[in-house]
């Protein structure tokens, strides 16, 4: 195998940082196992370790802080080819934040290898204490030494019945331990201990990792459990792509440029699903689509907005500053767009029940709630299509059949009302 995991010998870490050794030893382990980097999915999250992404020749996924194990679990369970290796790089900060994800993956014995870059503090954000900071350790938030005990992540993983657990002090070559983790058909956790040269070494003079372990009653070890639960997952999971709906082009469109449609209504009125239906219809017409939704954290109350971009071009990235059409079907949808409407220059389709806002936009009013609140979002998009002919109405109706709301929508009444 000629291709290495790392595409550069100059990694972006501080001089003396153990992250460098972890990356090199992971590369060495893959080379010894003759695993091509393109057969590896490397998942990382926020932290100094995460900047390794652009230096990797493997597939990479970069997630939110503490969420890398959750992402990796989904990837692993969805892989049809079990020869692919899923590796997680996570720091002690991310492991603290995402501990529930980590322990659930261990409990389910999901086939992935988690390498914790444990430098015992939050290195990227200023050297603050983490859940892995040992008692007696000085950080920027524990200047008089930490008074609390640290999580023993290895013992926690073992209590969750992880099938491979190891703790190792970073050194020039600990690749054999990583090899053991990669060869294990189940959940593997490797805690790689290191000291941050920018914070830990400066604030904890002359402290050695071996001394820290002795002080807190921990040690380096490797434990391999005979655990056969992975066989259940290996035999019961299917390729995620087998469940993906493949939409083939069936209709012709006459669109000459990219359009953005914003639909705003109330939570519980099917706004997000209506946006999906509109997107399905566009794909069935041979258009490229980009969709996103927005709503408050309460989800079940307040506004709900779905934005759909459709384009005759293959590249349909989300770079639209303002929609071409706004559809507003409820007072929640109107209130969330009041400021935006003041400078909006496009066309606004507004439900009859709503007061006309101050705007320079062209306002078209219609009774979108005529067939009930839960039909208003779908009905308004069908109305938009009929009026503007962005793509065939038949394509939208077929897109509706893909969803789980097809039996709940008053489609016959829509057709009669709009004479289609």
């Amino acid at each position: 195998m000629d291709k290495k995991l790392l595409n550069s010998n100059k990694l972006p870490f501080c001089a003396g940082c153990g992250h460098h050794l972890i990356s090199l030893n992971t590369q060495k382990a893959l080379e010894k196992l003759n695993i091509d980097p393109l057969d590896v999915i490397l998942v990382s999250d926020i932290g100094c370790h995460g900047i390794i992404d652009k230096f990797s020749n493997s597939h990479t996924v970069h997630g939110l802080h503490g969420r890398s194990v959750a992402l990796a679990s989904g990837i692993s369970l969805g892989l049809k080819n079990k020869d692919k290796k899923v590796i997680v790089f996570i720091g002690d900060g991310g492991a603290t934040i995402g501990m529930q994800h980590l322990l659930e993956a261990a409990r389910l014995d999901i086939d992935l290898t988690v390498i914790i870059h444990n430098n015992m503090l939050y290195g990227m954000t200023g050297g603050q204490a983490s859940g892995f900071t040992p008692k007696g350790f000085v950080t920027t938030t524990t200047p008089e030494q930490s008074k609390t005990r640290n999580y023993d992540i290895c013992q926690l993983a073992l209590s969750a019945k992880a099938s491979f657990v190891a703790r190792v002090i970073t050194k020039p070559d600990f690749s054999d331990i990583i090899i053991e983790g990669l060869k294990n058909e189940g959940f593997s956790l490797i805690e790689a201990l290191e000291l941050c040269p920018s914070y830990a070494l400066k604030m904890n003079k002359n402290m050695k990792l071996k001394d820290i372990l002795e002080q807190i009653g921990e040690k380096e070890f490797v434990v391999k459990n005979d655990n056969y639960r992975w066989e259940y997952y290996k035999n019961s999971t299917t390729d995620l792509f087998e469940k993906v709906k493949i939409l083939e082009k069936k209709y012709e469109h006459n669109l000459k440029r990219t359009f953005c449609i914003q639909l705003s209504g109330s939570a519980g009125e099917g706004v997000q699903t209506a946006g999906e239906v509109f997107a399905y219809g566009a794909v069935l017409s041979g258009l490229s689509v980009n969709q996103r939704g927005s709503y408050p954290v309460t989800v079940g109350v307040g506004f709900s907005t779905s934005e759909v971009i459709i384009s005759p071009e293959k590249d349909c990235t989300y770079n639209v500053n303002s929609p071409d059409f706004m559809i507003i079907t409820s007072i929640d949808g109107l209130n969330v767009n009041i400021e935006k409407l003041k400078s909006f220059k496009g066309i606004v389709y507004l439900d009859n029940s709503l007061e006309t806002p101050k705007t320079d936009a062209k306002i078209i009013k219609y009774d979108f709630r005529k067939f009930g609140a839960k039909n208003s979002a779908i009905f308004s998009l069908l109305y938009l299509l009929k009026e503007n002919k962005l793509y065939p109405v038949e394509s939208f109706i077929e897109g509706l059949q893909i969803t789980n709301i097809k039996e709940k929508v008053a489609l016959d009444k829509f057709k009669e009302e709009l004479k289609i």
Side-chain angles (χ1 to χ4, degrees):
M1 184 187 69
D2 296 328
K3 201 167 189 180
K4 296 179 180 290
L5 174 67
L6 303 172
N7 58 34
S8 174
N9 292 323
K10 295 181 179 180
L11 299 182
F13 307 119
C14 300
C17 178
H19 293 3
H20 189 99
L21 290 173
I22 294 171
S23 298
L24 290 176
N25 275 278
T26 302
Q27 174 174 265
K28 191 179 295 184
L30 292 171
E31 288 176 341
K32 288 180 179 179
L33 291 171
N34 199 33
I35 296 174
D36 191 301
L38 290 178
D39 286 328
V40 174
I41 300 95
L42 179 62
V43 187
S44 62
D45 61 22
I46 306 302
C48 296
H49 70 278
I51 55 180
I52 197 65
D53 292 1
K54 64 181 180 181
F55 293 87
S56 173
N57 287 318
S58 69
H59 304 285
T60 59
V61 177
H62 192 87
L64 297 174
H65 211 173
R67 305 299 182 254
S68 53
V69 175
L71 290 168
S73 296
I75 293 167
S76 178
L77 291 173
L79 284 173
K80 191 169 186 177
N81 184 351
K82 295 302 176 183
D83 291 330
K84 304 292 184 184
K85 295 295 180 183
V86 182
I87 301 174
V88 176
F89 276 9
I90 190 170
D92 55 291
T96 300
I97 293 169
M99 192 170 295
Q100 183 66 43
H101 301 308
L102 196 153
L103 295 180
E104 280 298 292
R107 184 176 71 87
L108 298 174
D109 202 28
I110 295 173
D111 192 12
L112 51 90
T113 301
V114 178
I115 304 177
I116 300 178
H117 299 51
N118 184 9
N119 57 15
M120 308 176 200
L121 47 71
Y122 287 91
M124 178 174 273
T125 58
Q128 302 92 338
S130 77
F132 288 42
T133 301
K135 189 175 182 179
F137 204 71
V138 177
T139 71
T140 55
T141 51
T142 57
E144 296 181 357
Q145 299 185 340
S146 174
K147 308 300 182 186
T148 57
R149 292 176 295 177
N150 59 292
Y151 286 117
D152 186 336
I153 191 59
C154 290
Q155 290 302 323
L156 286 171
L158 287 171
S159 70
K161 308 303 181 187
S163 52
F164 179 88
V165 176
R167 177 183 291 125
V168 60
I169 292 174
T170 51
K171 52 181 71 74
D173 190 356
F174 60 95
S175 59
D176 286 346
I177 291 177
I178 297 178
I179 287 172
E180 286 190 64
L182 290 170
K183 290 171 70 174
N184 176 49
E185 290 190 350
F187 183 84
S188 300
L189 182 137
I190 300 168
E191 181 188 21
L193 299 172
E194 49 175 310
L195 289 172
C196 173
S198 296
Y199 294 105
L201 289 177
K202 292 178 180 178
M203 293 185 286
N204 298 271
K205 300 292 186 182
N206 302 317
M207 187 171 281
K208 306 292 184 184
L209 285 167
K210 285 186 177 180
D211 296 335
I212 295 173
L213 285 180
E214 184 177 341
Q215 180 180 325
I216 61 178
E218 296 176 7
K219 60 183 179 180
E220 294 183 90
F221 69 90
V222 176
V223 173
K224 178 77 168 69
N225 284 331
D226 289 327
N227 189 324
Y228 300 103
R229 286 174 299 155
W230 173 244
E231 291 299 319
Y232 168 76
Y233 288 98
K234 185 161 61 175
N235 294 327
S236 65
T237 56
T238 57
D239 186 352
L240 289 177
F241 290 105
E242 292 177 359
K243 299 180 180 180
V244 174
K245 300 180 181 73
I246 305 298
L247 303 181
E248 301 289 347
K249 178 183 176 182
K250 296 180 65 175
Y251 302 91
E252 295 294 332
H253 67 83
N254 295 311
L255 214 60
K256 303 299 182 185
R257 67 173 180 88
T258 299
F259 280 86
C260 178
I261 298 89
Q262 177 186 305
L263 169 65
S264 293
S266 294
E269 295 185 359
V271 172
Q272 302 304 321
T273 303
E276 289 179 19
V277 171
F278 192 84
Y280 290 154
V283 173
L284 288 167
S285 298
L287 293 165
S288 298
V289 178
N290 200 319
Q291 181 200 3
R292 71 176 181 182
S294 59
Y295 36 81
V297 293
T298 46
V299 180
V301 295
F303 78 93
S304 181
T305 292
S306 179
E307 292 179 276
V308 184
I309 296 175
I310 58 175
S311 176
E313 306 295 329
K314 288 184 178 180
D315 183 12
C316 188
T317 54
Y318 207 96
N319 57 1
V320 177
N321 294 321
S322 179
D324 297 281
F325 302 103
M326 290 179 67
I327 304 174
I328 300 175
T329 61
S330 75
I331 187 63
D332 291 318
L334 179 60
N335 287 339
V336 78
N337 286 292
I338 284 294
E339 291 301 316
K340 188 174 185 177
L341 284 165
K342 290 178 181 178
S343 59
F344 184 57
K345 304 296 184 183
I347 299 175
V348 178
Y349 291 93
L350 192 69
D351 186 74
N352 276 344
S353 64
L354 303 173
E355 290 187 12
T356 302
K358 292 181 180 180
T359 179
D360 292 329
K362 179 181 179 180
I363 299 287
I364 298 173
K365 301 192 80 171
Y366 199 88
D367 188 5
F368 296 125
R369 304 176 77 82
K370 181 174 184 176
F371 303 107
K374 292 186 180 297
N375 278 296
S376 59
I378 287 283
F379 181 53
S380 65
L381 284 172
L382 190 58
Y383 179 90
L384 173 84
L385 270 182
K386 180 178 180 292
E387 293 297 305
N388 296 279
K389 298 178 174 57
L390 300 175
Y391 64 77
V393 168
E394 294 79 9
S395 188
F396 178 88
I397 293 172
E398 184 162 336
L400 177 62
Q401 306 308 310
I402 299 171
T403 69
N404 58 4
I405 64 163
K406 58 184 178 182
E407 305 299 334
K408 303 175 183 178
V409 171
L411 184 57
D412 290 338
K413 293 181 179 179
F414 295 173
K415 290 180 178 180
E416 183 180 354
E417 173 73 15
L418 300 177
K419 296 179 173 55
I420 55 177

